[in-house]
mmCIF file of all heavy atoms in Angstrom:
data_model
loop_
_atom_site.group_PDB
_atom_site.id
_atom_site.type_symbol
_atom_site.label_atom_id
_atom_site.label_comp_id
_atom_site.label_asym_id
_atom_site.label_seq_id
_atom_site.Cartn_x
_atom_site.Cartn_y
_atom_site.Cartn_z
ATOM 1 N N LEU A 3 2.193 5.071 0.755
ATOM 2 C CA LEU A 3 2.220 5.813 2.015
ATOM 3 C C LEU A 3 0.972 6.689 2.154
ATOM 4 O O LEU A 3 0.397 6.824 3.236
ATOM 5 C CB LEU A 3 3.482 6.671 2.031
ATOM 6 C CG LEU A 3 4.071 7.043 3.375
ATOM 7 C CD1 LEU A 3 4.207 5.832 4.277
ATOM 8 C CD2 LEU A 3 5.436 7.687 3.164
ATOM 9 N N MET A 4 0.533 7.274 1.025
ATOM 10 C CA MET A 4 -0.650 8.134 1.060
ATOM 11 C C MET A 4 -1.891 7.325 1.434
ATOM 12 O O MET A 4 -2.689 7.740 2.274
ATOM 13 C CB MET A 4 -0.829 8.804 -0.312
ATOM 14 C CG MET A 4 -1.952 9.828 -0.359
ATOM 15 S SD MET A 4 -1.643 11.302 0.643
ATOM 16 C CE MET A 4 -0.633 12.251 -0.486
ATOM 17 N N ASP A 6 -1.915 4.489 2.981
ATOM 18 C CA ASP A 6 -1.737 4.019 4.351
ATOM 19 C C ASP A 6 -2.117 5.105 5.347
ATOM 20 O O ASP A 6 -2.800 4.854 6.346
ATOM 21 C CB ASP A 6 -0.278 3.594 4.552
ATOM 22 C CG ASP A 6 -0.017 3.139 5.968
ATOM 23 O OD1 ASP A 6 -0.561 2.087 6.358
ATOM 24 O OD2 ASP A 6 0.697 3.840 6.712
ATOM 25 N N MET A 7 -1.702 6.361 5.057
ATOM 26 C CA MET A 7 -2.027 7.478 5.943
ATOM 27 C C MET A 7 -3.528 7.703 5.968
ATOM 28 O O MET A 7 -4.120 7.956 7.020
ATOM 29 C CB MET A 7 -1.299 8.739 5.463
ATOM 30 C CG MET A 7 -1.539 9.951 6.338
ATOM 31 S SD MET A 7 -0.501 11.357 5.900
ATOM 32 C CE MET A 7 -0.953 11.637 4.213
ATOM 33 N N ARG A 10 -5.131 4.995 8.032
ATOM 34 C CA ARG A 10 -4.855 5.206 9.455
ATOM 35 C C ARG A 10 -5.738 6.323 10.021
ATOM 36 O O ARG A 10 -6.291 6.210 11.113
ATOM 37 C CB ARG A 10 -3.378 5.535 9.635
ATOM 38 C CG ARG A 10 -2.862 5.361 11.035
ATOM 39 C CD ARG A 10 -1.325 5.268 11.136
ATOM 40 N NE ARG A 10 -0.620 5.471 9.904
ATOM 41 C CZ ARG A 10 -0.008 6.601 9.555
ATOM 42 N NH1 ARG A 10 -0.020 7.618 10.367
ATOM 43 N NH2 ARG A 10 0.614 6.702 8.405
ATOM 44 N N LEU A 14 -8.471 6.035 13.005
ATOM 45 C CA LEU A 14 -8.315 6.843 14.216
ATOM 46 C C LEU A 14 -9.322 7.992 14.301
ATOM 47 O O LEU A 14 -9.369 8.698 15.304
ATOM 48 C CB LEU A 14 -6.886 7.413 14.278
ATOM 49 C CG LEU A 14 -5.770 6.377 14.380
ATOM 50 C CD1 LEU A 14 -4.406 7.046 14.241
ATOM 51 C CD2 LEU A 14 -5.837 5.629 15.707
ATOM 52 N N ILE A 16 -9.333 10.765 12.499
ATOM 53 C CA ILE A 16 -8.610 12.037 12.423
ATOM 54 C C ILE A 16 -9.096 12.816 11.196
ATOM 55 O O ILE A 16 -9.186 12.261 10.114
ATOM 56 C CB ILE A 16 -7.090 11.774 12.302
ATOM 57 C CG1 ILE A 16 -6.556 11.205 13.605
ATOM 58 C CG2 ILE A 16 -6.335 13.041 11.927
ATOM 59 C CD1 ILE A 16 -5.129 10.704 13.518
ATOM 60 N N LEU A 18 -8.158 14.382 8.548
ATOM 61 C CA LEU A 18 -6.913 14.551 7.805
ATOM 62 C C LEU A 18 -6.988 15.730 6.834
ATOM 63 O O LEU A 18 -6.015 16.434 6.625
ATOM 64 C CB LEU A 18 -6.626 13.267 7.030
ATOM 65 C CG LEU A 18 -5.283 13.117 6.350
ATOM 66 C CD1 LEU A 18 -4.174 13.068 7.370
ATOM 67 C CD2 LEU A 18 -5.272 11.829 5.504
ATOM 68 N N ALA A 58 -4.872 22.465 13.324
ATOM 69 C CA ALA A 58 -3.536 21.870 13.432
ATOM 70 C C ALA A 58 -3.469 20.953 14.651
ATOM 71 O O ALA A 58 -2.919 19.852 14.593
ATOM 72 C CB ALA A 58 -2.476 22.963 13.509
ATOM 73 N N GLN A 61 -4.853 17.585 14.177
ATOM 74 C CA GLN A 61 -4.074 16.768 13.236
ATOM 75 C C GLN A 61 -4.552 16.881 11.796
ATOM 76 O O GLN A 61 -4.251 15.992 10.973
ATOM 77 C CB GLN A 61 -4.033 15.291 13.665
ATOM 78 C CG GLN A 61 -3.389 15.094 15.036
ATOM 79 C CD GLN A 61 -3.425 13.643 15.491
ATOM 80 O OE1 GLN A 61 -2.698 12.803 14.956
ATOM 81 N NE2 GLN A 61 -4.250 13.334 16.471
ATOM 82 N N VAL A 62 -5.264 17.951 11.479
ATOM 83 C CA VAL A 62 -5.561 18.210 10.068
ATOM 84 C C VAL A 62 -4.240 18.439 9.345
ATOM 85 O O VAL A 62 -3.396 19.197 9.808
ATOM 86 C CB VAL A 62 -6.462 19.459 9.913
ATOM 87 C CG1 VAL A 62 -6.673 19.793 8.436
ATOM 88 C CG2 VAL A 62 -7.798 19.255 10.618
ATOM 89 N N PHE A 63 -4.058 17.802 8.208
ATOM 90 C CA PHE A 63 -2.795 17.913 7.468
ATOM 91 C C PHE A 63 -2.997 18.658 6.144
ATOM 92 O O PHE A 63 -2.264 19.572 5.815
ATOM 93 C CB PHE A 63 -2.239 16.514 7.198
ATOM 94 C CG PHE A 63 -0.840 16.465 6.663
ATOM 95 C CD1 PHE A 63 -0.005 17.578 6.685
ATOM 96 C CD2 PHE A 63 -0.321 15.283 6.153
ATOM 97 C CE1 PHE A 63 1.301 17.526 6.200
ATOM 98 C CE2 PHE A 63 0.981 15.220 5.669
ATOM 99 C CZ PHE A 63 1.799 16.335 5.696
ATOM 100 N N PHE A 64 -4.022 18.257 5.402
ATOM 101 C CA PHE A 64 -4.241 18.830 4.071
ATOM 102 C C PHE A 64 -5.337 19.893 4.151
ATOM 103 O O PHE A 64 -6.475 19.598 4.505
ATOM 104 C CB PHE A 64 -4.639 17.736 3.074
ATOM 105 C CG PHE A 64 -3.590 16.663 2.934
ATOM 106 C CD1 PHE A 64 -3.751 15.438 3.550
ATOM 107 C CD2 PHE A 64 -2.436 16.906 2.209
ATOM 108 C CE1 PHE A 64 -2.778 14.449 3.437
ATOM 109 C CE2 PHE A 64 -1.461 15.927 2.080
ATOM 110 C CZ PHE A 64 -1.627 14.693 2.700
ATOM 111 N N ARG A 86 1.003 28.053 6.814
ATOM 112 C CA ARG A 86 2.299 27.441 6.520
ATOM 113 C C ARG A 86 3.182 27.379 7.768
ATOM 114 O O ARG A 86 3.934 26.418 7.943
ATOM 115 C CB ARG A 86 2.994 28.195 5.385
ATOM 116 C CG ARG A 86 2.326 27.950 4.014
ATOM 117 C CD ARG A 86 2.435 26.481 3.582
ATOM 118 N NE ARG A 86 3.838 26.147 3.439
ATOM 119 C CZ ARG A 86 4.391 25.075 3.981
ATOM 120 N NH1 ARG A 86 3.667 24.204 4.659
ATOM 121 N NH2 ARG A 86 5.687 24.841 3.820
ATOM 122 N N LEU A 88 2.028 26.728 10.555
ATOM 123 C CA LEU A 88 1.494 25.547 11.228
ATOM 124 C C LEU A 88 1.753 24.275 10.430
ATOM 125 O O LEU A 88 1.266 23.208 10.788
ATOM 126 C CB LEU A 88 -0.031 25.723 11.438
ATOM 127 C CG LEU A 88 -0.415 26.820 12.433
ATOM 128 C CD1 LEU A 88 -1.924 27.104 12.352
ATOM 129 C CD2 LEU A 88 -0.032 26.423 13.861
ATOM 130 N N GLN A 89 2.493 24.404 9.323
ATOM 131 C CA GLN A 89 2.957 23.262 8.524
ATOM 132 C C GLN A 89 1.847 22.481 7.850
ATOM 133 O O GLN A 89 1.999 21.274 7.589
ATOM 134 C CB GLN A 89 3.850 22.333 9.373
ATOM 135 C CG GLN A 89 5.089 23.052 9.879
ATOM 136 C CD GLN A 89 5.994 22.180 10.738
ATOM 137 O OE1 GLN A 89 5.556 21.223 11.350
ATOM 138 N NE2 GLN A 89 7.269 22.527 10.770
ATOM 139 N N PHE A 90 0.722 23.135 7.560
ATOM 140 C CA PHE A 90 -0.294 22.491 6.730
ATOM 141 C C PHE A 90 0.259 22.307 5.321
ATOM 142 O O PHE A 90 1.054 23.115 4.847
ATOM 143 C CB PHE A 90 -1.547 23.374 6.598
ATOM 144 C CG PHE A 90 -2.438 23.403 7.804
ATOM 145 C CD1 PHE A 90 -2.394 24.476 8.679
ATOM 146 C CD2 PHE A 90 -3.332 22.376 8.060
ATOM 147 C CE1 PHE A 90 -3.225 24.525 9.791
ATOM 148 C CE2 PHE A 90 -4.169 22.422 9.170
ATOM 149 C CZ PHE A 90 -4.107 23.489 10.031
ATOM 150 N N SER A 91 -0.206 21.267 4.646
ATOM 151 C CA SER A 91 -0.029 21.161 3.202
ATOM 152 C C SER A 91 -1.180 21.971 2.618
ATOM 153 O O SER A 91 -2.349 21.603 2.776
ATOM 154 C CB SER A 91 -0.118 19.697 2.757
ATOM 155 O OG SER A 91 -0.177 19.635 1.356
ATOM 156 N N GLY A 113 5.760 28.056 -0.008
ATOM 157 C CA GLY A 113 5.801 26.589 -0.021
ATOM 158 C C GLY A 113 4.447 25.939 -0.056
ATOM 159 O O GLY A 113 4.227 24.892 0.563
ATOM 160 N N GLU A 115 1.458 23.721 -1.735
ATOM 161 C CA GLU A 115 1.617 22.500 -2.507
ATOM 162 C C GLU A 115 1.216 22.703 -3.951
ATOM 163 O O GLU A 115 1.941 22.316 -4.863
ATOM 164 C CB GLU A 115 0.793 21.378 -1.892
ATOM 165 C CG GLU A 115 1.244 19.991 -2.349
ATOM 166 C CD GLU A 115 0.108 19.001 -2.507
ATOM 167 O OE1 GLU A 115 -0.888 19.155 -1.772
ATOM 168 O OE2 GLU A 115 0.206 18.090 -3.355
ATOM 169 N N GLN A 155 3.248 24.453 -8.536
ATOM 170 C CA GLN A 155 2.470 23.421 -9.234
ATOM 171 C C GLN A 155 1.070 23.968 -9.490
ATOM 172 O O GLN A 155 0.414 24.459 -8.578
ATOM 173 C CB GLN A 155 2.317 22.168 -8.363
ATOM 174 C CG GLN A 155 3.545 21.273 -8.297
ATOM 175 C CD GLN A 155 3.218 19.942 -7.629
ATOM 176 O OE1 GLN A 155 2.441 19.165 -8.188
ATOM 177 N NE2 GLN A 155 3.756 19.696 -6.459
ATOM 178 N N ARG B 9 15.091 22.597 9.228
ATOM 179 C CA ARG B 9 13.941 22.081 8.459
ATOM 180 C C ARG B 9 13.851 22.797 7.121
ATOM 181 O O ARG B 9 14.034 24.008 7.035
ATOM 182 C CB ARG B 9 12.642 22.319 9.247
ATOM 183 C CG ARG B 9 12.534 21.522 10.532
ATOM 184 C CD ARG B 9 11.192 21.799 11.227
ATOM 185 N NE ARG B 9 11.113 23.138 11.775
ATOM 186 C CZ ARG B 9 11.624 23.495 12.948
ATOM 187 N NH1 ARG B 9 12.263 22.617 13.695
ATOM 188 N NH2 ARG B 9 11.496 24.732 13.390
ATOM 189 N N VAL B 11 12.075 24.634 4.136
ATOM 190 C CA VAL B 11 10.918 25.528 4.265
ATOM 191 C C VAL B 11 9.743 25.063 3.417
ATOM 192 O O VAL B 11 8.600 25.389 3.679
ATOM 193 C CB VAL B 11 11.289 26.982 3.897
ATOM 194 C CG1 VAL B 11 12.270 27.542 4.905
ATOM 195 C CG2 VAL B 11 11.846 27.067 2.495
ATOM 196 N N ASN B 12 10.046 24.295 2.368
ATOM 197 C CA ASN B 12 9.016 23.957 1.398
ATOM 198 C C ASN B 12 8.356 22.617 1.711
ATOM 199 O O ASN B 12 8.158 21.803 0.827
ATOM 200 C CB ASN B 12 9.658 23.918 0.003
ATOM 201 C CG ASN B 12 8.632 24.179 -1.079
ATOM 202 O OD1 ASN B 12 7.617 24.808 -0.834
ATOM 203 N ND2 ASN B 12 8.903 23.670 -2.270
ATOM 204 N N VAL B 13 8.065 22.381 2.981
ATOM 205 C CA VAL B 13 7.463 21.107 3.364
ATOM 206 C C VAL B 13 6.257 21.342 4.253
ATOM 207 O O VAL B 13 6.096 22.398 4.849
ATOM 208 C CB VAL B 13 8.463 20.186 4.113
ATOM 209 C CG1 VAL B 13 9.638 19.834 3.243
ATOM 210 C CG2 VAL B 13 8.916 20.831 5.406
ATOM 211 N N ALA B 14 5.398 20.328 4.306
ATOM 212 C CA ALA B 14 4.294 20.308 5.257
ATOM 213 C C ALA B 14 4.541 19.120 6.179
ATOM 214 O O ALA B 14 5.134 18.120 5.744
ATOM 215 C CB ALA B 14 2.971 20.140 4.526
ATOM 216 N N ALA B 15 4.121 19.209 7.409
ATOM 217 C CA ALA B 15 4.413 18.129 8.355
ATOM 218 C C ALA B 15 3.292 18.006 9.376
ATOM 219 O O ALA B 15 2.684 19.001 9.776
ATOM 220 C CB ALA B 15 5.745 18.389 9.069
ATOM 221 N N ARG B 16 3.054 16.788 9.803
ATOM 222 C CA ARG B 16 2.019 16.594 10.798
ATOM 223 C C ARG B 16 2.207 15.223 11.467
ATOM 224 O O ARG B 16 2.540 14.238 10.800
ATOM 225 C CB ARG B 16 0.616 16.662 10.163
ATOM 226 C CG ARG B 16 -0.534 16.727 11.144
ATOM 227 C CD ARG B 16 -0.550 18.048 11.920
ATOM 228 N NE ARG B 16 -1.140 19.129 11.144
ATOM 229 C CZ ARG B 16 -0.536 20.304 10.955
ATOM 230 N NH1 ARG B 16 0.632 20.552 11.470
ATOM 231 N NH2 ARG B 16 -1.138 21.249 10.248
ATOM 232 N N GLN B 17 1.950 15.158 12.764
ATOM 233 C CA GLN B 17 1.896 13.883 13.482
ATOM 234 C C GLN B 17 0.508 13.304 13.228
ATOM 235 O O GLN B 17 -0.504 13.919 13.581
ATOM 236 C CB GLN B 17 2.082 14.127 14.985
ATOM 237 C CG GLN B 17 2.160 12.884 15.831
ATOM 238 C CD GLN B 17 3.540 12.269 15.817
ATOM 239 O OE1 GLN B 17 4.553 12.958 15.776
ATOM 240 N NE2 GLN B 17 3.608 10.949 15.842
ATOM 241 N N ILE B 18 0.431 12.142 12.596
ATOM 242 C CA ILE B 18 -0.851 11.487 12.321
ATOM 243 C C ILE B 18 -0.830 10.191 13.120
ATOM 244 O O ILE B 18 -0.166 9.220 12.747
ATOM 245 C CB ILE B 18 -1.031 11.164 10.821
ATOM 246 C CG1 ILE B 18 -0.804 12.405 9.968
ATOM 247 C CG2 ILE B 18 -2.407 10.564 10.569
ATOM 248 C CD1 ILE B 18 -1.865 13.459 10.062
ATOM 249 N N GLY B 19 -1.576 10.171 14.226
ATOM 250 C CA GLY B 19 -1.502 9.003 15.092
ATOM 251 C C GLY B 19 -0.089 8.912 15.656
ATOM 252 O O GLY B 19 0.416 9.872 16.226
ATOM 253 N N GLU B 21 2.605 8.278 13.751
ATOM 254 C CA GLU B 21 3.598 8.473 12.683
ATOM 255 C C GLU B 21 3.734 9.943 12.345
ATOM 256 O O GLU B 21 2.754 10.690 12.339
ATOM 257 C CB GLU B 21 3.185 7.704 11.427
ATOM 258 C CG GLU B 21 3.485 6.220 11.518
ATOM 259 C CD GLU B 21 3.393 5.524 10.181
ATOM 260 O OE1 GLU B 21 4.031 5.971 9.219
ATOM 261 O OE2 GLU B 21 2.675 4.524 10.110
ATOM 262 N N MET B 23 4.468 12.549 9.549
ATOM 263 C CA MET B 23 4.411 12.598 8.079
ATOM 264 C C MET B 23 4.945 13.925 7.582
ATOM 265 O O MET B 23 4.660 14.978 8.155
ATOM 266 C CB MET B 23 2.980 12.428 7.583
ATOM 267 C CG MET B 23 2.219 11.259 8.185
ATOM 268 S SD MET B 23 2.962 9.667 7.880
ATOM 269 C CE MET B 23 2.917 9.577 6.103
ATOM 270 N N MET B 25 5.438 16.109 3.847
ATOM 271 C CA MET B 25 5.206 16.164 2.406
ATOM 272 C C MET B 25 6.076 17.265 1.830
ATOM 273 O O MET B 25 6.073 18.395 2.319
ATOM 274 C CB MET B 25 3.736 16.442 2.102
ATOM 275 C CG MET B 25 3.473 16.653 0.617
ATOM 276 S SD MET B 25 1.727 16.698 0.226
ATOM 277 C CE MET B 25 1.409 14.987 -0.117
ATOM 278 N N GLY B 27 6.994 20.072 -0.678
ATOM 279 C CA GLY B 27 6.254 20.985 -1.539
ATOM 280 C C GLY B 27 6.798 21.012 -2.951
ATOM 281 O O GLY B 27 6.144 21.492 -3.869
ATOM 282 N N ASN B 28 8.014 20.466 -3.160
ATOM 283 C CA ASN B 28 8.607 20.476 -4.498
ATOM 284 C C ASN B 28 7.881 19.541 -5.446
ATOM 285 O O ASN B 28 7.592 19.892 -6.583
ATOM 286 C CB ASN B 28 10.080 20.045 -4.427
ATOM 287 C CG ASN B 28 10.930 21.070 -3.705
ATOM 288 O OD1 ASN B 28 10.609 22.254 -3.718
ATOM 289 N ND2 ASN B 28 11.983 20.626 -3.059
ATOM 290 N N ASP B 29 7.598 18.329 -4.954
ATOM 291 C CA ASP B 29 6.999 17.346 -5.853
ATOM 292 C C ASP B 29 5.909 16.523 -5.172
ATOM 293 O O ASP B 29 5.509 15.492 -5.692
ATOM 294 C CB ASP B 29 8.081 16.405 -6.395
ATOM 295 C CG ASP B 29 8.843 15.696 -5.270
ATOM 296 O OD1 ASP B 29 8.448 15.848 -4.093
ATOM 297 O OD2 ASP B 29 9.823 15.004 -5.566
ATOM 298 N N SER B 30 5.449 16.980 -4.015
ATOM 299 C CA SER B 30 4.374 16.315 -3.266
ATOM 300 C C SER B 30 4.748 14.919 -2.793
ATOM 301 O O SER B 30 3.846 14.130 -2.487
ATOM 302 C CB SER B 30 3.081 16.247 -4.095
ATOM 303 O OG SER B 30 2.656 17.524 -4.462
ATOM 304 N N LEU B 32 5.792 12.071 -0.241
ATOM 305 C CA LEU B 32 5.389 11.923 1.162
ATOM 306 C C LEU B 32 6.370 11.015 1.883
ATOM 307 O O LEU B 32 6.833 10.015 1.323
ATOM 308 C CB LEU B 32 3.981 11.313 1.195
ATOM 309 C CG LEU B 32 3.236 11.256 2.527
ATOM 310 C CD1 LEU B 32 2.987 12.655 3.069
ATOM 311 C CD2 LEU B 32 1.911 10.528 2.332
ATOM 312 N N PHE B 33 6.711 11.382 3.109
ATOM 313 C CA PHE B 33 7.639 10.596 3.906
ATOM 314 C C PHE B 33 7.032 10.331 5.272
ATOM 315 O O PHE B 33 6.332 11.166 5.831
ATOM 316 C CB PHE B 33 8.966 11.352 4.076
ATOM 317 C CG PHE B 33 9.606 11.746 2.779
ATOM 318 C CD1 PHE B 33 9.349 12.989 2.218
ATOM 319 C CD2 PHE B 33 10.453 10.870 2.109
ATOM 320 C CE1 PHE B 33 9.929 13.358 1.011
ATOM 321 C CE2 PHE B 33 11.024 11.237 0.905
ATOM 322 C CZ PHE B 33 10.757 12.470 0.350
ATOM 323 N N SER B 34 7.370 9.153 5.800
ATOM 324 C CA SER B 34 6.984 8.842 7.173
ATOM 325 C C SER B 34 8.266 8.703 7.960
ATOM 326 O O SER B 34 9.122 7.889 7.616
ATOM 327 C CB SER B 34 6.191 7.531 7.195
ATOM 328 O OG SER B 34 6.014 7.097 8.526
ATOM 329 N N TRP B 43 14.053 16.096 13.169
ATOM 330 C CA TRP B 43 13.460 17.036 12.252
ATOM 331 C C TRP B 43 12.788 18.183 13.004
ATOM 332 O O TRP B 43 12.937 19.358 12.654
ATOM 333 C CB TRP B 43 12.452 16.327 11.334
ATOM 334 C CG TRP B 43 12.053 17.168 10.142
ATOM 335 C CD1 TRP B 43 12.681 17.253 8.937
ATOM 336 C CD2 TRP B 43 10.933 18.061 10.081
ATOM 337 N NE1 TRP B 43 12.036 18.153 8.116
ATOM 338 C CE2 TRP B 43 10.962 18.657 8.788
ATOM 339 C CE3 TRP B 43 9.935 18.433 10.963
ATOM 340 C CZ2 TRP B 43 10.015 19.586 8.372
ATOM 341 C CZ3 TRP B 43 8.988 19.365 10.552
ATOM 342 C CH2 TRP B 43 9.030 19.924 9.277
#
Side-chain angles (χ1 to χ4, degrees):
Chain A
L3 207 49
M4 186 67 83
D6 178 67
M7 182 172 59
R10 198 162 5 101
L14 297 172
I16 291 171
L18 189 65
Q61 299 177 72
V62 175
F63 190 13
F64 300 103
R86 288 296 298 131
L88 292 169
Q89 299 179 335
F90 284 101
S91 170
E115 199 215 330
Q155 283 190 66
Chain B
R9 293 181 290 278
V11 294
N12 205 25
V13 298
R16 191 68 80 232
Q17 185 81 36
I18 307 289
E21 282 194 53
M23 311 300 299
M25 174 170 269
N28 292 332
D29 57 6
S30 302
L32 189 62
F33 304 92
S34 170
W43 194 87

